[in-house]
Amino acid sequence: METQQASTKPFGFREARTLIGDLNQPNPWIYWSDFLVSIIIGHITFHLMYYLPKWYATSTGMILAVSLCYVITVTAYMRALMFIHELVHLPKGKYLGFRFVWNALCGIFFLVPSFLYYPHVDHHRRKHYGTEHDGEYLSLSHRSPWLIVGFIVQALLIPFLAVARFLIISPICWFLPGARHWVHRHASTMLVDPFYERTDRSPKLMRTVVIQEFFCFVWLLWFFVRGGIMRGESLDPIWLIAYAVAVGLLILNELRTLGAHRWTNEGGEMSFEEQFLDTLNYPYRPWITELWGPIGTRYHALHHLFPRLPYHNLGKAHRRLVAGLPPDSIYHQTIAKSLTSEIVSLWRRSSGSVAERSEL
């Protein structure tokens, strides 16, 4: 099986901080302009997929135009959605306007309000990473490769689960408070590990949860009433377009997630070096990697090293670290050639693990 050998030289945190110490301040103008441009483009091309067939039903280029709009929609929405990752790492109590607007224009719209991602901080705790306390980790390198297939195929089901969570389960929690405890622990988190149990439940958090749930519920009522009653359509084409876009987004995000780590942990606590070598950076071909790994997510190893480094400075920080750190630094071992090659490597590690167990 493939293994990643750690350098015997300890990683120089002080040296790394010195190299990138001036890059820690987020630039609000970049956040606002990047998000607003992305979400507006996504909303425009999303609606064009609905109107183009009505306007140009007989046009020979209509199918190509709709297909192009679909690609642009998924790409733009993916970029807008990934700001949820930045919200978790921005200083608490700051950027409140940006948090509100992101939820209003994106989080509620996609049924991924920001409260679903708060437990992401557990993924960055050294004692939690890769353990049962980390909801964003599975030992994929040591499981059947069919689990990787299932991880991708679940994209077909998740949109229906999201609708059920906010259209049916949320009202149940409002009127039957006894259900809230189970729902919050098991059905209120964006996760990779389906057995993860959420533990945070402060009064302030629960107020946020209820408010964001309410707006998701109202949005869903409008979404279904608009097509089913106001337009008098038993099957609103917007529903089909929304499902297709949701599946595209989920598949793209799941492929990105598969390439974020090497997934080599088997459940126990890992050392810093082991955790760091389990994460990856994709600095090459930014015109491609920035599409599937936007908002800094293609620099996942660097993000784990400095979680509060704003996304718009990660590329510059990476270049400084590559140039400034010694050749034997383990940082250089986190650099991957391509997402495809890493997913293929993951598949091989998983298949090799299954073969090894069958021989025992």
Side-chain angles (χ1 to χ4, degrees), residues 262-277:
R262 292 187 169 105
W263 310 99
T264 56
N265 191 31
E266 295 190 74
E269 186 177 324
M270 304 174 76
S271 67
F272 162 76
E273 288 77 13
E274 290 171 333
Q275 291 183 25
F276 194 43
L277 288 172

Side-chain angles (χ1 to χ4, degrees), residues 145-171:
W146 290 108
L147 184 60
I148 299 172
V149 176
F151 183 71
I152 298 173
V153 172
Q154 68 176 338
L156 300 173
L157 180 62
I158 289 176
F160 299 106
L161 297 178
V163 170
R165 169 62 179 84
F166 291 105
L167 189 62
I168 300 173
I169 296 177
S170 290

Side-chain angles (χ1 to χ4, degrees), residues 231-242:
R231 289 178 181 165
E233 297 176 317
S234 58
L235 182 61
D236 187 348
I238 286 285
W239 299 344
L240 301 178
I241 295 170

Side-chain angles (χ1 to χ4, degrees), residues 14-269:
R14 182 175 298 179
E15 183 179 8
R17 287 194 185 98
T18 300
L19 290 168
I20 57 94
D22 61 323
L23 301 177
N24 289 309
Q25 185 62 38
N27 186 329
W29 288 105
I30 294 178
Y31 277 73
W32 279 104
S33 59
D34 195 345
F35 168 68
L36 289 176
V37 168
S38 298
I39 196 65
I40 290 171
I41 289 175
H43 286 339
I44 290 173
T45 53
F46 177 90
H47 286 89
L48 281 176
M49 283 190 285
Y50 174 78
Y51 286 109
L52 284 176
K54 292 180 175 292
W55 295 340
Y56 305 102
T58 60
S59 174
T60 56
M62 190 269 293
I63 294 178
L64 179 61
V66 170
S67 300
L68 180 61
C69 285
Y70 178 81
V71 172
I72 295 173
T73 301
V74 170
T75 302
Y77 277 162
M78 178 72 172
R79 188 167 190 86
L81 278 164
M82 289 312 299
F83 275 96
I84 194 173
H85 182 256
E86 287 294 300
L87 296 183
V88 174
H89 292 288
L90 285 171
K92 289 185 178 180
K94 295 185 178 181
Y95 301 93
L96 299 181
F98 184 78
R99 297 174 191 274
F100 175 82
V101 172
W102 183 88
N103 274 292
L105 297 182
C106 187
I108 303 301
F109 183 77
F110 288 100
L111 305 182
V112 286
S114 56
F115 82 82
L116 293 177
Y117 206 56
Y118 291 171
H120 173 71
V121 294
D122 288 337
H123 185 58
H124 287 276
R125 293 191 171 104
R126 193 185 67 79
K127 291 184 178 294
H128 286 183
Y129 177 89
T131 70
E132 63 181 3
H133 303 293
D134 181 359
E136 297 180 39
Y137 199 95
L138 280 174
S139 301
L140 293 174
S141 287
H142 306 284
R143 305 283 187 90
S144 167
W146 290 108
L147 184 60
I148 299 172
V149 176
F151 183 71
I152 298 173
V153 172
Q154 68 176 338
L156 300 173
L157 180 62
I158 289 176
F160 299 106
L161 297 178
V163 170
R165 169 62 179 84
F166 291 105
L167 189 62
I168 300 173
I169 296 177
S170 290
I172 291 175
C173 291
W174 302 338
F175 296 104
L176 296 175
R180 172 65 69 183
H181 181 70
W182 187 94
V183 169
H184 189 68
R185 288 180 67 88
H186 299 279
S188 298
T189 311
M190 293 175 62
L191 44 72
V192 174
D193 180 2
F195 299 103
Y196 171 79
E197 295 186 12
R198 186 170 184 169
T199 57
D200 59 335
R201 200 167 182 239
S202 68
K204 181 179 179 181
L205 168 64
M206 298 316 297
R207 285 194 296 272
T208 300
V209 169
V210 172
I211 291 171
Q212 293 183 0
E213 279 182 340
F214 173 77
F215 283 108
C216 287
F217 174 77
V218 171
W219 158 243
L220 281 172
L221 282 182
W222 168 250
F223 182 72
F224 288 115
V225 166
R226 177 185 57 186
I229 297 178
M230 294 179 64
R231 289 178 181 165
E233 297 176 317
S234 58
L235 182 61
D236 187 348
I238 286 285
W239 299 344
L240 301 178
I241 295 170
Y243 177 72
V245 169
V247 170
L249 284 166
L250 285 163
I251 290 176
L252 184 59
N253 186 58
E254 285 157 0
L255 291 172
R256 178 199 64 81
T257 301
L258 289 175
H261 298 283
R262 292 187 169 105
W263 310 99
T264 56
N265 191 31
E266 295 190 74
E269 186 177 324

